[in-house]
Amino acid sequence: MDQRGYILEVTSDDTAMFKMQRLSACASCGKCIGASNSESQDIIVEVQNKIGAKKGQYVEVSMEQIDVMRAIFIVYGIPLIALIVGSVASFYLLENIGYTGNKLEILSFVSGLVLTGISYIFIKKKDNSFRESRRYMPTVTRIVGDIKPENVLDQFSN
């Protein structure tokens, strides 16, 4: 998955803050600073900058498609599976222990929601290890253009 945008700030020897226009395919995974409901809003993402791009340069950033799919599965798939498994398993468990009340479906659904909440807590606790691994961090692959004129760059620093 390739994107183009501008380097706003070089934060260390191998990382930088990158500004791009978010596409609808990107949506809002929560990894971007300033993302909102708009599908065409500019967002800021931390990227690996191993090629040494400088502030203001127009660059191309990429992330392996398989890593994008894994990140999507972690954020959306695991909680969905937890909801389904929690609801179905608790339904059959309650039914097998003899609970035949009229609120069986409601209790099953609530159990699914609780398991979904637990999965989100688990994902949040693992978030730091995901960040430290840098596996899911986009990488600057090439410098596309020269440094932008200073007056244009100023609009990006807001």
Side-chain angles (χ1 to χ4, degrees), residues 79 82-88 90 107-117:
L83 176 66
I84 293 169
V85 168
S87 297
V88 172
S90 64
L107 288 173
S108 298
F109 179 68
V110 169
S111 297
L113 288 179
V114 168
L115 197 58
T116 302

